[in-house]
Amino acid sequence: MNEGLQDRLEKFGLSLYMIRVTLAASLSWLAVHTLYGDSYLYFAPLAAILITQGSVKASLEKGVYRLTGIVLGGIVSLIVGSFFDVGALSILLMLLIGIGVATACRINIQAISQVGVTSVLALTFYQDHYIEWRVAETLIGVAIALIINMIIVPPKGFVKVKGLALDGSLLLADALSDQSGCRRGADQASDILTRSAALLSRSELLQKELHFTLTHYQCRSELRELSQATAHLKKIHSYVKEIRAEITRLPAHYAAADWMAEIMTATADCIALYGTKTLSDAECQRSLPELLRRARDLQLAWFSELQGQCSLTSIRDLGAVFSHLNRVLEEIEQADYVVMSAAPQKVKAEASRAMRLIQKGLSQKL
């Protein structure tokens, strides 16, 4: 699907989720009608509608829960139905047994609710092979819904989620540099921090939607690295949020001091450079290890100097700020180490592949 076409369709309510659901339900009905004729045609499209989620993994989990509940509910209804006619007593026993066994086995709540629904309906249609039809057609609906989820994906999905994470990292750096209150008001800095969290969370959610799709297979290694980078950035965000809380407890002349702005800006530069280096193709002129070393030296130098000028209470409050700033730098170092350690593995894999091709006499393909 073209990216511009998708944006235009969403303005009229034709979202990607709706396209997935309608296609899965229609194809499920067509498949069952082709295979079985006119028997219980509604089970397959119903299953496709109910289990279609934003990601393949979530759809698979919901499909498994639904099938588990149907099978367990069907078994219980067969047992109870062989001894009792449809009535209040039979429904009571059936629900007590089915839901009780499912609860005792710690089955997911979605499967437990399906046990009750299937038990009642199966007992009602006991003479019409209801259970066999429902299990078979539900399985067909689940399978088609999963296939649709794997094929119908957002256009340029990986580029979008990577861009969201990059924007979130840059906003996070901007939010940290504004914590001293020198450039923007406190409310505006808080708004930037909130927007950064929203972008990172949105990127993380969309990354999950790409897993186990055809797009995921093409960029699975890059998607894994993006997931790791996003996790590190969200952790850094939590530290920046703590810094904001500690800054508000400081006296105004400390929070708005030039040395505080210098420290914050140096640490924010590290976040921005890490995001740009990891999440974009831009060439970075500055070295991240050098920026980290400069930021840490500034923190140590100023904290050492302040110890001889401030009261114990102020040192305690300032120490909390410096502690969180140091955690930001440590998290960036760990994140950058993961990226750097992954790069040689890629080169080694390509070299190994080349050697295998040469050994097979296919060096002309290199």
Side-chain angles (χ1 to χ4, degrees):
M1 182 186 296
N2 181 268
E3 185 176 6
L5 176 60
Q6 185 198 4
D7 293 337
R8 289 193 294 271
L9 290 176
E10 286 186 351
K11 292 180 181 179
F12 295 97
L14 301 176
S15 64
L16 192 66
Y17 172 78
M18 195 199 72
I19 294 173
R20 286 171 174 169
V21 168
T22 52
L23 278 177
S26 302
L27 292 176
S28 298
W29 187 93
L30 181 62
V32 172
H33 180 71
T34 302
L35 291 173
Y36 300 118
D38 297 328
S39 299
Y40 299 113
L41 292 178
Y42 48 85
F43 291 140
L46 183 64
I49 293 170
L50 292 177
I51 72 109
T52 299
Q53 302 293 307
S55 66
V56 177
K57 183 180 179 181
S59 297
L60 177 60
E61 289 178 352
K62 196 157 188 178
V64 170
Y65 295 147
R66 184 171 178 82
L67 284 170
T68 301
I70 289 174
V71 172
L72 183 56
I75 292 173
V76 173
S77 66
L78 287 175
I79 296 173
V80 175
S82 60
F83 296 100
F84 299 93
D85 293 329
V86 179
L89 178 60
S90 61
I91 291 176
L92 175 64
L93 290 174
M94 185 172 52
L95 293 179
L96 283 175
I97 295 172
I99 296 179
V101 170
T103 304
C105 295
R106 302 294 189 271
I107 296 177
N108 187 276
I109 187 63
Q110 297 183 47
I112 292 177
S113 62
Q114 192 60 50
V115 169
V117 173
T118 303
S119 299
V120 174
L121 292 176
L123 188 62
T124 304
F125 297 101
Y126 183 68
Q127 301 298 327
D128 296 328
H129 302 287
Y130 169 86
I131 299 171
E132 294 89 337
W133 286 114
R134 183 163 187 183
V135 171
E137 296 188 12
T138 299
L139 183 60
I140 292 173
V142 168
I144 291 178
L146 289 175
I147 293 173
I148 292 297
N149 244 20
M150 294 174 65
I151 296 175
I152 307 297
V153 295
K156 300 181 180 179
F158 180 72
V159 176
K160 281 186 176 180
V161 297
K162 195 172 183 179
L164 287 172
L166 175 61
D167 293 341
S169 67
L170 297 178
L171 279 177
L172 182 58
D174 203 14
L176 179 58
S177 64
D178 289 340
Q179 292 304 312
S180 61
C182 294
R183 289 180 7 189
R184 293 188 179 96
D187 292 339
Q188 191 170 358
S190 177
D191 179 64
I192 295 175
L193 194 59
T194 302
R195 286 162 50 202
S196 171
L199 288 172
L200 292 175
S201 298
R202 178 63 177 165
S203 177
E204 188 176 47
L205 178 63
L206 293 177
Q207 289 169 35
K208 293 179 181 178
E209 292 187 7
L210 290 177
H211 280 289
F212 309 111
T213 63
L214 297 182
T215 304
H216 165 260
Y217 180 79
Q218 298 171 356
C219 59
R220 56 191 181 278
S221 59
E222 292 87 350
L223 186 59
R224 183 167 54 252
E225 293 173 4
L226 176 58
S227 299
Q228 293 173 347
T230 306
H232 285 294
L233 287 169
K234 292 193 73 174
K235 198 167 184 180
I236 293 171
H237 181 275
S238 67
Y239 293 146
V240 175
K241 192 174 181 180
E242 290 294 332
I243 292 171
R244 169 174 169 73
E246 297 295 341
I247 283 286
T248 58
R249 300 186 182 99
L250 291 177
H253 64 279
Y254 287 136
D258 291 339
W259 53 265
M260 181 66 79
E262 183 182 12
I263 293 170
M264 293 291 182
T265 301
T267 308
D269 288 343
C270 296
I271 299 175
L273 183 58
Y274 168 72
T276 303
K277 175 184 175 183
T278 309
L279 303 173
S280 74
D281 299 327
E283 294 186 4
C284 300
Q285 302 297 326
R286 296 185 293 179
S287 169
L288 182 57
E290 290 181 4
L291 280 184
L292 289 168
R293 185 164 49 251
R294 176 179 176 273
R296 184 167 282 115
D297 289 343
L298 278 174
Q299 292 179 19
L300 292 174
W302 276 112
F303 189 67
S304 177
E305 183 174 342
L306 289 169
Q307 287 181 4
Q309 302 175 4
C310 303
S311 64
L312 290 177
T313 303
S314 299
I315 287 296
R316 178 197 61 194
D317 295 337
L318 286 169
V321 175
F322 279 89
S323 177
H324 288 302
L325 284 169
N326 185 60
R327 289 193 181 101
V328 170
L329 298 181
E330 289 177 348
E331 190 66 28
I332 295 174
E333 282 181 331
Q334 293 176 9
D336 187 55
Y337 176 77
V338 171
V339 174
M340 296 301 293
S341 61
Q345 294 178 2
K346 291 183 180 179
V347 175
K348 185 177 180 180
E350 291 296 328
S352 176
R353 177 177 176 274
M355 288 301 297
R356 288 197 302 270
L357 291 175
I358 292 175
Q359 291 172 357
K360 290 181 180 180
L362 301 176
S363 58
Q364 68 275 9
K365 293 186 178 182
L366 295 176

